[in-house]
């Protein structure tokens, strides 16, 4: 089979990574800088989870509707506006965040922009990369998430502990504005067009709802880890600088997993949802390792948790789009909404359990969510195969 490697546009994937990173930096900075922000704004530990949850709750609203919007007006238009809005809110946090309410307002609006951004970026990539290379392309695109967490982790020792946490948001704002300026009005390398009005036979909602539910459980556990990794590391004895570097280790692990799983996807004929189910299940073992609250286990738990428990997203999006080539924006908008719902409930529940019980109990809960996510991914795949005989199963 011809790989069509030459047609993968570096500009397309670079813009996809940059836009996704810009959209998610507000929330990942909040998680990585939680120790400094809590001390500065006098917040309790549960506040971090609530702020992260608010971001994703807002994203859920626009994720469900922006797919059709991108299919109608163009993915590039939505990307340009959404990244600019992310930059505006990052500036707002830099200058005006003085208490929980003020930072919550800016994160809520930033969540709206991120919810609109993700389906648009998925459509942007799907329209510019041929199907034979989309697995790797989406692996690269989703590498933006660990890239954002990596940058957020580096911001702790390099920025927050030197010149102050607000400057981390300011630098992120500059990045977002640059990305917005670079997004073209139309994709320069579009190789295929999607039909914005695919027939009902090509768009079955029920399997997507099940897959969204599975994604909610897996993303809820993973985003709780992202929000509280630094807090947990400090709790067991790490200093804040080293705890921030732990996020870097996890981010690199997740980035490598997303790239490799995407590369392997292009070499398979199907079975992608089965692979994501296995990855989430392995991630659950990482959360169990966290529950022991042992310093010696933090690094291996981080690697397993981030690589497996948070490394499946790109492959998941690819599998959804492979089965819905005529409606990539709407299909991933539905499944991505599941990720946002889970990302609301996960960090809030994790924070409450930590506040009222312990980190041990919270990690056991995260492992349970991941295990259930693995099961429901398999269920969703079976529903998809049953309802879509004309398309190859993912």
């Amino acid at each position: 089979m011809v790989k069509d490697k030459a047609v993968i546009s570096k500009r397309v994937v670079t813009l996809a990574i940059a836009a996704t990173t810009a959209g998610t930096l507000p929330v990942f900075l909040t998680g990585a800088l939680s120790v400094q922000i809590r001390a500065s704004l006098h917040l309790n530990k549960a506040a971090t989870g609530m702020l992260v949850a608010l971001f994703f709750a807002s994203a859920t609203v626009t994720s469900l509707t922006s797919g059709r919007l991108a299919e109608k007006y163009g993915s590039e238009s939505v990307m340009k506006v959404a990244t600019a809005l992310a930059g505006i809110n990052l500036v707002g946090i830099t200058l005006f965040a003085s208490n929980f309410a003020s930072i919550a307002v800016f994160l809520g609006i930033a969540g709206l922009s991120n919810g609109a951004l993700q389906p648009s970026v998925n459509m942007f990539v799907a329209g510019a990369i041929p199907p034979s290379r989309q697995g790797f392309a989406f692996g690269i695109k989703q590498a933006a998430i660990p890239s954002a967490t990596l940058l957020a982790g580096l911001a702790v020792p390099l920025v927050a502990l030197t010149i102050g946490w607000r400057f981390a948001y300011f630098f992120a704002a500059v990045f977002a504005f640059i990305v917005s300026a670079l997004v073209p009005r139309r994709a320069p390398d579009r190789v295929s067009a999607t039909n914005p009005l695919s027939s009902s036979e090509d768009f079955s909602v029920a399997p997507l709802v099940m897959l969204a539910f599975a994604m909610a459980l897996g993303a809820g556990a993973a985003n709780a880890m992202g929000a509280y990794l630094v807090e947990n590391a400090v709790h067991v004895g790490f200093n804040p600088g080293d705890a921030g570097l732990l996020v870097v280790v996890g981010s690199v692990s997740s980035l490598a997993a997303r790239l490799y799983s995407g590369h392997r996807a292009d070499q398979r004929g199907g079975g992608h949802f089965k692979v994501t189910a296995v990855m989430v299940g392995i991630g659950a073992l990482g959360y169990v390792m966290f529950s022991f609250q042992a310093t010696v286990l933090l690094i291996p738990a981080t690697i397993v948790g981030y690589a497996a428990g948070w490394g499946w997203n790109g492959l998941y999006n690819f599998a959804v789009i492979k089965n819905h080539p005529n409606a990539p924006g709407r299909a991933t908008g539905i499944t991505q909404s599941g990720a946002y719902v889970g990302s609301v409930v996960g960090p809030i529940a994790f924070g409450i359990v930590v506040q009222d019980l312990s980190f041990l109990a919270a990690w056991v809960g995260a492992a349970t969510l991941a295990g259930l996510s693995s099961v429901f991914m398999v269920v969703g795949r079976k529903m998809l195969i049953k309802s879509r005989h004309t398309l190859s199963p993912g």
Side-chain angles (χ1 to χ4, degrees):
M1 182 177 67
V2 179
K3 295 292 184 179
D4 294 327
K5 293 182 179 180
V7 301
I8 294 183
S9 168
K10 292 181 179 179
R11 184 180 183 187
V12 167
V13 295
T14 299
L15 282 174
I17 291 174
T20 304
T21 300
T24 54
L25 269 176
V27 70
F28 292 130
L29 280 174
T30 302
L33 302 175
S34 59
V35 174
Q36 291 74 34
I37 293 174
R38 286 198 303 105
S40 175
L41 304 185
H42 308 292
L43 307 177
N44 60 36
K45 290 182 179 180
T48 301
M50 294 176 67
L51 289 171
V52 171
L54 175 63
F55 176 91
F56 289 113
S58 301
T60 304
V61 177
T62 48
S63 177
L64 288 170
T65 58
S66 62
R68 183 178 290 275
L69 191 68
E71 290 171 3
K72 182 176 182 180
Y73 295 105
S75 57
E76 300 86 355
S77 299
V78 178
M79 289 169 61
K80 183 176 284 289
V81 173
T83 49
L85 187 58
I88 291 172
N89 284 282
L90 286 163
V91 171
I93 294 175
T94 302
L95 299 177
F96 304 113
S98 58
N99 51 38
F100 178 85
S102 57
I103 195 171
V105 168
F106 290 116
L107 278 177
I109 300 175
L112 292 174
S113 66
N114 185 64
L117 181 63
Q118 299 309 319
S120 302
V121 176
N122 290 337
M123 181 180 167
F124 179 66
V125 174
I129 305 297
S132 62
R133 298 296 292 164
Q134 284 184 4
F136 188 54
F138 275 99
I140 296 174
K141 179 260 179 182
Q142 287 300 126
I145 305 299
S147 296
T149 60
L150 187 151
L151 292 174
L154 289 175
V156 177
L158 298 181
V159 181
L161 298 180
T162 55
I163 59 178
W165 63 267
R166 294 180 186 272
F167 282 94
Y169 285 94
F170 172 75
F171 295 142
V174 173
F175 174 75
F177 287 131
I178 292 174
V179 173
S180 180
L182 292 177
V183 174
R185 294 190 179 278
R186 290 188 179 277
D189 302 293
R190 194 164 299 280
V191 297
S192 65
T194 58
N195 178 7
L197 298 173
S198 60
S199 66
S200 59
E201 289 81 11
D202 289 334
F203 196 85
S204 181
V205 175
L208 288 172
V209 172
M210 177 57 69
L211 291 170
F213 180 61
M215 198 172 194
L217 297 174
N223 279 281
M225 174 181 64
Y228 281 95
L229 177 63
V230 172
E231 288 272 5
N232 185 68
V234 172
H235 176 75
V236 299
F238 275 50
N239 64 57
D242 289 341
L245 292 177
L246 195 62
V247 177
V248 176
V249 172
S251 300
V252 171
S253 302
S254 182
L255 191 153
R258 293 174 189 224
L259 293 178
Y260 180 73
S261 63
H263 171 69
R264 290 290 299 157
D266 287 332
Q267 301 176 342
R268 287 194 304 269
H272 308 306
F273 286 122
K274 291 193 292 185
V275 175
T276 60
V278 171
M279 292 178 71
V280 176
I282 295 174
L285 298 179
Y287 304 144
V288 171
M289 293 170 67
F290 277 122
S291 71
F292 287 99
Q293 293 295 279
T295 304
V296 69
L297 290 178
L298 276 187
I299 293 179
T302 299
I303 293 173
V304 174
Y306 272 77
W310 214 1
W312 49 271
N313 309 63
L315 180 58
Y316 204 77
N317 282 336
F318 166 64
V320 171
I321 288 176
K322 180 184 177 184
N323 284 279
H324 302 84
N326 291 329
R330 279 180 288 163
T332 57
I334 292 173
T335 54
Q336 192 68 36
S337 69
Y340 292 142
V341 169
S343 300
V344 171
V345 177
I348 285 182
F350 195 98
I352 292 174
V353 173
V354 169
Q355 190 81 11
D356 295 342
L357 297 175
S358 65
F359 271 108
L360 185 155
W363 287 118
V364 170
T368 302
L369 288 180
L372 290 173
S373 172
S374 179
V375 172
F376 286 115
M377 284 182 185
V378 175
V379 174
R381 178 181 184 271
K382 290 181 178 179
M383 291 176 62
L384 189 62
I385 294 173
K386 183 178 180 180
S387 64
R388 299 180 59 89
H389 297 292
T390 59
L391 294 178
S392 58

